[in-house]
């Protein structure tokens, strides 16, 4: 049995831990051979491969990023893309493919499985934690820890100058990173895509903190929107999956707060720093377990499935269940954080 492995979409802390888990168990217990495909779906599309064996995965557990590289290549948008992927797999003697990715990467895997019979097993990856059918995705915990540390540091500089600091975090159309890091970091307002915010109310929260000589921190998810307005974007360019580049809400919000309250406001956009660096212990643990169970699914011939976390158990679910819709923050969960606003 020869198994292919690829990592697609945005890079994410823990990707290397998954690769390591897949290869170590696959080689040691099942005698499988492994072929890595470089840069997501571009690898099988163009035949760009690298050998994966136990020496190749030594020492990669604590490393961020991915030794295979990643991209947002969508083979279904390329003329004859599906056929080229299958031809590459056949030429390389690959019997099954483990696809590690988020909504878009796994969406391609689900379609190829359904439409061409590709033998594929999915592993959920995204710092946004927005994949349905799994309680958590690896990478999320690391991103939250990085954002929380940044908020902790910003409290001291905000208080030194008695200014408002707006912290923009990632998450696309889900507010999980903003909610978790904002609550953990003691933010005075948390704005998420699932709940349009009232700008007057945000300014009221800000002013209430200054009354007790406390400099407020406002955490805003990149996809958050004002109640009376549209999504704020730096540009309208789209990637190969049709997604617009998000960012800009933080700067817009700081300018509005300063204009309406007369208080000095500054913006910190954490951006890609949330995706880089050493993965947390939890993400290493979860990613490793996902890798071990993914290769078990290959052994069992349970294709078209994705490994997922349910409580502390790793289960298998149809890939389509994870990509049919994004997982968003429930209103009740967001309401809990509202106790600390203002």
């Amino acid at each position: 049995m020869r198994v292919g492995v690829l990592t697609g979409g945005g890079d994410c802390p823990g990707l290397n831990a998954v690769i390591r888990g897949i290869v170590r168990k696959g080689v040691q217990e099942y005698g499988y051979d492994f072929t890595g495909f470089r840069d997501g779906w571009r690898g099988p599309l163009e035949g760009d491969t690298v050998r994966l064996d136990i020496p190749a995965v030594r020492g990669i557990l604590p490393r961020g990023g991915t030794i295979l590289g990643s991209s947002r290549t969508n083979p279904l948008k390329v003329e004859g893309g599906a056929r080229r992927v299958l031809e590459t797999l056949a030429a390389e003697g690959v019997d099954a493919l483990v696809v590690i990715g988020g909504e878009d990467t796994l969406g391609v895997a689900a379609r190829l499985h359904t439409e061409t019979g590709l033998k594929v097993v999915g592993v959920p990856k995204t710092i946004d934690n927005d994949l349905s059918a799994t309680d958590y995705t690896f990478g999320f915990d690391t991103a939250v820890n990085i954002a929380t540390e940044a908020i902790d540091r910003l409290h001291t500089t905000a208080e030194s100058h008695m200014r408002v600091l707006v912290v923009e975090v990632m998450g696309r159309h889900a507010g999980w990173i903003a909610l978790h890091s904002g609550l953990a970091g003691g933010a005075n307002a948390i704005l998420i895509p699932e709940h349009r915010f009232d700008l007057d109310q945000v300014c009221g929260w800000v002013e209430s903190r200054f009354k007790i000589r406390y400099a407020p921190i406002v955490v805003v998810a990149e996809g958050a929107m004002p109640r009376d307005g549209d999504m704020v974007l730096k540009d309208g360019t789209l990637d190969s999956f049709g997604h617009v580049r998000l960012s800009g809400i933080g700067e817009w919000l700081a300018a509005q707060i300063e204009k309406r309250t007369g208080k000095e406001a500054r913006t910190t956009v954490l951006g890609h720093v949330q995706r880089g660096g050493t993965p947390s212990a939890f993400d290493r643990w979860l990613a490793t377990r996902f890798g071990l169970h993914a290769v078990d699914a290959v052994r069992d011939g349970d294709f078209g499935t994705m490994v997922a976390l349910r409580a502390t158990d790793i289960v298998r679910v149809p890939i389509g269940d994870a990509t049919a819709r994004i997982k968003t923050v429930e209103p009740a969960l967001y309401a809990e954080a509202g106790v600390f606003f203002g």
Side-chain angles (χ1 to χ4, degrees):
M1 170 77 81
R2 178 171 292 277
V3 181
V5 181
L6 68 81
T7 56
D11 63 289
C12 178
L15 282 168
N16 287 323
V18 180
I19 298 168
R20 174 178 174 269
I22 292 169
V23 173
R24 285 288 296 270
K25 186 167 190 177
V27 171
Q28 292 174 194
E29 296 196 13
Y30 304 139
Y32 292 166
D33 293 320
F34 290 90
T35 295
F37 291 97
R38 291 191 174 96
D39 304 334
W41 285 109
R42 187 192 68 79
L45 194 63
E46 301 180 4
D48 193 353
T49 66
V50 59
R51 177 178 172 80
L52 286 178
D53 52 20
I54 289 180
V57 300
R58 287 193 182 120
I60 68 172
L61 176 63
R63 288 174 54 184
T66 164
I67 61 171
L68 293 177
S70 191
S71 74
R72 297 192 184 278
T73 301
N74 183 355
L76 302 180
K77 290 292 182 69
V78 177
E79 183 68 28
R83 173 182 52 78
R84 287 168 56 183
V85 167
L86 295 178
E87 288 176 350
T88 296
L89 296 179
E92 295 292 333
V94 172
D95 303 294
L97 186 65
V98 177
V99 177
I100 310 165
E103 176 190 5
D104 297 322
T105 303
L106 293 179
V108 171
R111 280 192 58 184
L112 289 177
H113 173 72
T114 301
E115 297 174 8
T116 71
L118 177 65
K119 295 179 179 179
V120 63
V121 170
V123 177
K125 168 244 60 160
T126 170
I127 67 168
D128 302 335
N129 197 41
D130 63 352
L131 274 175
S132 298
T134 184
D135 290 348
Y136 286 99
T137 55
F138 69 87
F140 171 66
D141 184 69
T142 302
V144 168
N145 286 339
I146 291 170
T148 301
E149 182 181 356
I151 295 167
D152 288 345
R153 292 177 179 273
L154 290 169
H155 271 295
T156 58
T157 187
E159 292 166 9
S160 297
H161 294 274
M162 290 305 293
R163 59 167 59 124
V164 186
L165 279 179
V166 177
V167 185
E168 181 185 304
V169 300
M170 285 181 160
R172 295 201 61 79
H173 303 295
W176 294 106
I177 295 176
L179 180 65
H180 281 240
S181 64
L183 195 58
N188 307 114
I190 302 170
L191 312 179
I192 63 175
E194 295 88 340
H195 183 88
R196 283 180 175 254
F197 61 87
D198 184 324
L199 191 53
D200 289 333
Q201 184 179 50
V202 173
C203 290
W205 289 333
V206 166
E207 290 177 321
S208 72
R209 304 309 288 175
F210 279 112
K211 289 178 182 178
I212 57 173
R213 292 199 55 78
Y214 189 92
I217 300 284
V218 178
V219 174
V220 57
E222 61 185 357
M225 293 181 287
R227 182 175 298 170
D228 301 317
D230 299 319
M231 184 175 292
V232 179
L233 302 171
K234 281 190 173 181
D235 62 66
T237 57
L238 304 177
D239 65 17
S240 61
F241 288 95
H243 297 309
V244 70
R245 177 187 175 191
L246 298 182
S247 189
I249 184 64
E251 293 181 6
W252 180 87
L253 183 61
Q256 291 295 318
I257 290 174
E258 188 166 299
K259 178 181 177 181
R260 292 174 178 237
T261 67
K263 302 296 185 182
E264 186 179 13
R266 293 289 183 270
T267 307
T268 296
V269 181
L270 294 183
H272 291 78
V273 71
Q274 294 159 94
R275 296 210 313 228
T278 302
S280 67
F282 178 83
D283 280 340
R284 298 185 205 188
W285 171 84
L286 180 58
T288 297
R289 293 189 69 202
F290 276 163
L292 298 176
H293 283 261
V295 80
D296 284 346
V298 171
R299 176 203 58 184
D300 295 342
D302 198 2
F303 300 116
T305 62
M306 182 192 82
V307 293
L309 180 69
R310 296 282 176 81
T312 58
D313 296 328
I314 306 296
V315 300
R316 299 173 193 167
V317 299
I319 297 179
D321 288 357
T323 58
R325 63 178 181 84
I326 66 169
K327 180 179 66 180
T328 55
V329 175
E330 302 89 346
L333 196 57
Y334 183 60
E336 291 177 358
V339 172
F340 303 99
F341 296 174

Short mmCIF file of all heavy atoms in Angstrom, two decimals, residues 153-196:
data_model
loop_
_atom_site.label_atom_id
_atom_site.label_comp_id
_atom_site.label_asym_id
_atom_site.label_seq_id
_atom_site.Cartn_x
_atom_site.Cartn_y
_atom_site.Cartn_z
N ARG A 153 -0.32 41.85 26.68
CA ARG A 153 0.72 42.86 26.52
C ARG A 153 0.13 44.23 26.19
O ARG A 153 0.64 45.26 26.64
CB ARG A 153 1.69 42.42 25.42
CG ARG A 153 2.52 41.20 25.79
CD ARG A 153 3.41 40.76 24.64
NE ARG A 153 4.20 39.60 25.00
CZ ARG A 153 5.40 39.65 25.61
NH1 ARG A 153 5.92 40.84 25.91
NH2 ARG A 153 6.05 38.55 25.91
N LEU A 154 -0.93 44.24 25.42
CA LEU A 154 -1.52 45.51 25.01
C LEU A 154 -2.23 46.22 26.17
O LEU A 154 -2.37 47.44 26.15
CB LEU A 154 -2.50 45.28 23.85
CG LEU A 154 -1.82 44.90 22.53
CD1 LEU A 154 -2.85 44.43 21.51
CD2 LEU A 154 -1.02 46.07 21.97
N HIS A 155 -2.70 45.46 27.14
CA HIS A 155 -3.32 46.09 28.31
C HIS A 155 -2.37 47.10 28.95
O HIS A 155 -2.77 48.22 29.32
CB HIS A 155 -3.69 45.03 29.35
CG HIS A 155 -5.07 44.46 29.16
ND1 HIS A 155 -6.22 45.20 29.29
CD2 HIS A 155 -5.47 43.21 28.85
CE1 HIS A 155 -7.28 44.43 29.07
NE2 HIS A 155 -6.84 43.20 28.80
N THR A 156 -1.11 46.72 29.10
CA THR A 156 -0.17 47.59 29.82
C THR A 156 0.14 48.86 29.05
O THR A 156 0.22 49.95 29.63
CB THR A 156 1.14 46.84 30.13
OG1 THR A 156 1.72 46.38 28.91
CG2 THR A 156 0.87 45.64 31.03
N THR A 157 0.30 48.76 27.74
CA THR A 157 0.58 49.96 26.96
C THR A 157 -0.66 50.83 26.83
O THR A 157 -0.57 52.07 26.79
CB THR A 157 1.16 49.61 25.58
OG1 THR A 157 1.57 50.81 24.91
CG2 THR A 157 0.18 48.88 24.70
N ALA A 158 -1.84 50.21 26.76
CA ALA A 158 -3.07 50.99 26.72
C ALA A 158 -3.25 51.81 27.99
O ALA A 158 -3.61 53.00 27.96
CB ALA A 158 -4.27 50.07 26.52
N GLU A 159 -2.97 51.18 29.13
CA GLU A 159 -3.11 51.87 30.41
C GLU A 159 -2.06 52.95 30.59
O GLU A 159 -2.33 53.99 31.21
CB GLU A 159 -3.03 50.84 31.54
CG GLU A 159 -4.23 49.90 31.58
CD GLU A 159 -3.99 48.69 32.46
OE1 GLU A 159 -2.96 48.67 33.17
OE2 GLU A 159 -4.83 47.77 32.42
N SER A 160 -0.87 52.75 30.06
CA SER A 160 0.19 53.75 30.19
C SER A 160 -0.18 55.05 29.48
O SER A 160 0.18 56.14 29.93
CB SER A 160 1.50 53.20 29.62
OG SER A 160 1.95 52.08 30.35
N HIS A 161 -0.88 54.93 28.35
CA HIS A 161 -1.22 56.12 27.55
C HIS A 161 -2.70 56.48 27.63
O HIS A 161 -3.12 57.46 27.02
CB HIS A 161 -0.83 55.88 26.09
CG HIS A 161 0.64 55.75 25.87
ND1 HIS A 161 1.46 56.83 25.67
CD2 HIS A 161 1.44 54.66 25.84
CE1 HIS A 161 2.71 56.42 25.51
NE2 HIS A 161 2.72 55.09 25.61
N MET A 162 -3.48 55.66 28.35
CA MET A 162 -4.93 55.88 28.47
C MET A 162 -5.56 56.07 27.08
O MET A 162 -6.19 57.07 26.78
CB MET A 162 -5.23 57.06 29.38
CG MET A 162 -4.93 56.80 30.84
SD MET A 162 -5.76 55.31 31.49
CE MET A 162 -7.48 55.82 31.41
N ARG A 163 -5.34 55.08 26.24
CA ARG A 163 -5.91 55.10 24.90
C ARG A 163 -6.67 53.80 24.65
O ARG A 163 -6.46 52.80 25.35
CB ARG A 163 -4.82 55.29 23.84
CG ARG A 163 -3.75 54.20 23.84
CD ARG A 163 -2.87 54.24 22.58
NE ARG A 163 -2.17 55.48 22.40
CZ ARG A 163 -0.85 55.61 22.27
NH1 ARG A 163 -0.07 54.52 22.36
NH2 ARG A 163 -0.30 56.78 22.06
N VAL A 164 -7.51 53.80 23.65
CA VAL A 164 -8.23 52.61 23.23
C VAL A 164 -7.33 51.79 22.31
O VAL A 164 -6.69 52.34 21.41
CB VAL A 164 -9.52 52.97 22.45
CG1 VAL A 164 -10.32 51.70 22.15
CG2 VAL A 164 -10.34 53.99 23.21
N LEU A 165 -7.28 50.50 22.53
CA LEU A 165 -6.55 49.64 21.61
C LEU A 165 -7.51 48.61 21.02
O LEU A 165 -8.18 47.88 21.74
CB LEU A 165 -5.39 48.93 22.31
CG LEU A 165 -4.12 49.77 22.46
CD1 LEU A 165 -3.04 49.01 23.19
CD2 LEU A 165 -3.60 50.21 21.10
N VAL A 166 -7.60 48.63 19.69
CA VAL A 166 -8.43 47.70 18.96
C VAL A 166 -7.54 46.58 18.42
O VAL A 166 -6.55 46.85 17.74
CB VAL A 166 -9.17 48.40 17.80
CG1 VAL A 166 -9.98 47.38 16.99
CG2 VAL A 166 -10.06 49.51 18.32
N VAL A 167 -7.88 45.35 18.74
CA VAL A 167 -7.09 44.19 18.32
C VAL A 167 -7.90 43.40 17.29
O VAL A 167 -8.97 42.86 17.61
CB VAL A 167 -6.74 43.28 19.51
CG1 VAL A 167 -5.81 42.15 19.07
CG2 VAL A 167 -6.11 44.09 20.63
N GLU A 168 -7.40 43.34 16.06
CA GLU A 168 -8.07 42.57 15.02
C GLU A 168 -7.46 41.19 14.92
O GLU A 168 -6.25 41.05 14.75
CB GLU A 168 -7.96 43.29 13.67
CG GLU A 168 -8.67 42.57 12.53
CD GLU A 168 -8.45 43.23 11.18
OE1 GLU A 168 -8.75 44.43 11.05
OE2 GLU A 168 -7.98 42.53 10.26
N VAL A 169 -8.29 40.16 15.02
CA VAL A 169 -7.82 38.78 14.96
C VAL A 169 -8.44 38.07 13.76
O VAL A 169 -9.42 38.54 13.17
CB VAL A 169 -8.15 38.00 16.25
CG1 VAL A 169 -7.50 38.66 17.46
CG2 VAL A 169 -9.67 37.90 16.46
N MET A 170 -7.88 36.94 13.39
CA MET A 170 -8.37 36.16 12.26
C MET A 170 -9.63 35.38 12.64
O MET A 170 -10.11 35.45 13.76
CB MET A 170 -7.28 35.22 11.76
CG MET A 170 -6.18 35.93 10.97
SD MET A 170 -4.94 34.75 10.39
CE MET A 170 -4.18 35.70 9.08
N GLY A 171 -10.12 34.60 11.68
CA GLY A 171 -11.30 33.79 11.91
C GLY A 171 -12.27 33.75 10.75
O GLY A 171 -13.22 32.99 10.76
N ARG A 172 -12.03 34.59 9.74
CA ARG A 172 -12.92 34.71 8.59
C ARG A 172 -14.35 34.94 9.06
O ARG A 172 -14.61 35.92 9.73
CB ARG A 172 -12.80 33.49 7.67
CG ARG A 172 -11.40 33.39 7.01
CD ARG A 172 -11.41 32.53 5.77
NE ARG A 172 -12.29 33.06 4.74
CZ ARG A 172 -11.97 34.08 3.91
NH1 ARG A 172 -10.81 34.67 3.99
NH2 ARG A 172 -12.84 34.49 3.01
N HIS A 173 -15.29 34.05 8.75
CA HIS A 173 -16.68 34.32 9.06
C HIS A 173 -17.15 33.65 10.35
O HIS A 173 -18.36 33.50 10.58
CB HIS A 173 -17.56 33.87 7.89
CG HIS A 173 -17.18 34.53 6.59
ND1 HIS A 173 -17.30 35.88 6.39
CD2 HIS A 173 -16.63 34.03 5.46
CE1 HIS A 173 -16.88 36.19 5.18
NE2 HIS A 173 -16.46 35.08 4.59
N ALA A 174 -16.21 33.26 11.19
CA ALA A 174 -16.52 32.67 12.49
C ALA A 174 -15.73 33.41 13.57
O ALA A 174 -14.58 33.78 13.37
CB ALA A 174 -16.19 31.18 12.51
N GLY A 175 -16.36 33.59 14.72
CA GLY A 175 -15.74 34.41 15.76
C GLY A 175 -15.06 33.65 16.87
O GLY A 175 -14.86 34.19 17.98
N TRP A 176 -14.67 32.40 16.62
CA TRP A 176 -14.11 31.57 17.69
C TRP A 176 -12.83 32.14 18.29
O TRP A 176 -12.66 32.19 19.51
CB TRP A 176 -13.87 30.16 17.19
CG TRP A 176 -15.13 29.43 16.83
CD1 TRP A 176 -15.59 29.15 15.57
CD2 TRP A 176 -16.12 28.92 17.73
NE1 TRP A 176 -16.80 28.49 15.64
CE2 TRP A 176 -17.15 28.33 16.96
CE3 TRP A 176 -16.22 28.90 19.12
CZ2 TRP A 176 -18.26 27.74 17.52
CZ3 TRP A 176 -17.34 28.30 19.69
CH2 TRP A 176 -18.33 27.73 18.90
N ILE A 177 -11.89 32.58 17.45
CA ILE A 177 -10.63 33.12 17.98
C ILE A 177 -10.89 34.39 18.78
O ILE A 177 -10.35 34.58 19.88
CB ILE A 177 -9.63 33.39 16.84
CG1 ILE A 177 -9.23 32.09 16.15
CG2 ILE A 177 -8.37 34.09 17.38
CD1 ILE A 177 -8.30 32.29 14.95
N ALA A 178 -11.72 35.28 18.25
CA ALA A 178 -12.03 36.52 18.94
C ALA A 178 -12.69 36.25 20.29
O ALA A 178 -12.32 36.85 21.31
CB ALA A 178 -12.94 37.38 18.07
N LEU A 179 -13.65 35.33 20.31
CA LEU A 179 -14.37 35.04 21.55
C LEU A 179 -13.45 34.45 22.61
O LEU A 179 -13.42 34.91 23.76
CB LEU A 179 -15.52 34.08 21.26
CG LEU A 179 -16.38 33.70 22.47
CD1 LEU A 179 -17.11 34.91 23.02
CD2 LEU A 179 -17.38 32.60 22.10
N HIS A 180 -12.69 33.43 22.23
CA HIS A 180 -11.84 32.75 23.21
C HIS A 180 -10.70 33.65 23.70
O HIS A 180 -10.44 33.73 24.90
CB HIS A 180 -11.27 31.47 22.60
CG HIS A 180 -12.24 30.34 22.58
ND1 HIS A 180 -12.01 29.14 23.22
CD2 HIS A 180 -13.45 30.20 21.98
CE1 HIS A 180 -13.03 28.32 23.04
NE2 HIS A 180 -13.92 28.95 22.27
N SER A 181 -10.02 34.31 22.78
CA SER A 181 -8.89 35.16 23.20
C SER A 181 -9.37 36.41 23.91
O SER A 181 -8.74 36.87 24.87
CB SER A 181 -8.03 35.53 22.00
OG SER A 181 -8.75 36.33 21.07
N GLY A 182 -10.48 36.97 23.46
CA GLY A 182 -11.02 38.16 24.11
C GLY A 182 -11.45 37.88 25.53
O GLY A 182 -11.18 38.67 26.45
N LEU A 183 -12.11 36.76 25.74
CA LEU A 183 -12.55 36.39 27.08
C LEU A 183 -11.35 36.07 27.97
O LEU A 183 -11.28 36.51 29.13
CB LEU A 183 -13.49 35.19 27.00
CG LEU A 183 -14.33 34.87 28.24
CD1 LEU A 183 -15.21 36.06 28.62
CD2 LEU A 183 -15.20 33.64 27.98
N ALA A 184 -10.40 35.32 27.43
CA ALA A 184 -9.21 34.96 28.21
C ALA A 184 -8.33 36.17 28.50
O ALA A 184 -7.65 36.22 29.53
CB ALA A 184 -8.40 33.90 27.46
N GLY A 185 -8.32 37.15 27.59
CA GLY A 185 -7.46 38.32 27.74
C GLY A 185 -8.11 39.49 28.45
O GLY A 185 -7.48 40.55 28.60
N GLY A 186 -9.35 39.34 28.87
CA GLY A 186 -10.01 40.41 29.60
C GLY A 186 -10.39 41.60 28.73
O GLY A 186 -10.33 42.75 29.18
N ALA A 187 -10.81 41.34 27.50
CA ALA A 187 -11.22 42.43 26.62
C ALA A 187 -12.52 43.06 27.13
O ALA A 187 -13.35 42.40 27.75
CB ALA A 187 -11.43 41.92 25.20
N ASN A 188 -12.70 44.35 26.85
CA ASN A 188 -13.90 45.07 27.29
C ASN A 188 -15.00 45.05 26.25
O ASN A 188 -16.12 45.50 26.51
CB ASN A 188 -13.53 46.51 27.65
CG ASN A 188 -12.38 46.56 28.64
OD1 ASN A 188 -11.30 47.04 28.31
ND2 ASN A 188 -12.59 46.02 29.84
N ALA A 189 -14.68 44.56 25.06
CA ALA A 189 -15.68 44.34 24.02
C ALA A 189 -15.12 43.31 23.06
O ALA A 189 -13.93 43.33 22.74
CB ALA A 189 -16.01 45.63 23.28
N ILE A 190 -15.99 42.41 22.61
CA ILE A 190 -15.60 41.38 21.64
C ILE A 190 -16.64 41.41 20.52
O ILE A 190 -17.83 41.24 20.77
CB ILE A 190 -15.58 39.97 22.29
CG1 ILE A 190 -14.61 39.93 23.48
CG2 ILE A 190 -15.19 38.92 21.25
CD1 ILE A 190 -14.72 38.65 24.31
N LEU A 191 -16.17 41.63 19.31
CA LEU A 191 -17.07 41.77 18.16
C LEU A 191 -16.81 40.63 17.19
O LEU A 191 -15.68 40.42 16.76
CB LEU A 191 -16.84 43.12 17.48
CG LEU A 191 -16.80 44.34 18.41
CD1 LEU A 191 -16.55 45.61 17.63
CD2 LEU A 191 -18.09 44.44 19.22
N ILE A 192 -17.87 39.89 16.85
CA ILE A 192 -17.73 38.69 16.04
C ILE A 192 -18.66 38.74 14.83
O ILE A 192 -19.66 39.48 14.83
CB ILE A 192 -18.01 37.42 16.87
CG1 ILE A 192 -19.45 37.41 17.38
CG2 ILE A 192 -17.03 37.32 18.04
CD1 ILE A 192 -19.84 36.13 18.11
N PRO A 193 -18.37 37.96 13.77
CA PRO A 193 -19.19 37.99 12.57
C PRO A 193 -20.64 37.54 12.79
O PRO A 193 -21.54 37.96 12.07
CB PRO A 193 -18.47 37.03 11.61
CG PRO A 193 -17.07 36.97 12.12
CD PRO A 193 -17.18 37.11 13.61
N GLU A 194 -20.84 36.66 13.77
CA GLU A 194 -22.17 36.09 13.98
C GLU A 194 -23.16 37.09 14.58
O GLU A 194 -24.38 36.84 14.59
CB GLU A 194 -22.08 34.87 14.92
CG GLU A 194 -21.32 33.70 14.34
CD GLU A 194 -19.81 33.75 14.61
OE1 GLU A 194 -19.29 34.87 14.90
OE2 GLU A 194 -19.16 32.71 14.51
N HIS A 195 -22.67 38.20 15.08
CA HIS A 195 -23.53 39.18 15.76
C HIS A 195 -23.11 40.58 15.32
O HIS A 195 -22.07 41.08 15.75
CB HIS A 195 -23.39 39.03 17.28
CG HIS A 195 -24.29 39.93 18.07
ND1 HIS A 195 -25.57 39.59 18.41
CD2 HIS A 195 -24.09 41.18 18.56
CE1 HIS A 195 -26.12 40.57 19.10
NE2 HIS A 195 -25.24 41.55 19.20
N ARG A 196 -23.90 41.20 14.44
CA ARG A 196 -23.56 42.56 13.99
C ARG A 196 -23.53 43.51 15.19
O ARG A 196 -24.43 43.48 16.04
CB ARG A 196 -24.58 43.04 12.96
CG ARG A 196 -24.37 42.42 11.56
CD ARG A 196 -25.40 42.95 10.60
NE ARG A 196 -25.16 42.46 9.25
CZ ARG A 196 -24.68 43.21 8.25
NH1 ARG A 196 -24.35 44.49 8.49
NH2 ARG A 196 -24.49 42.70 7.06
#
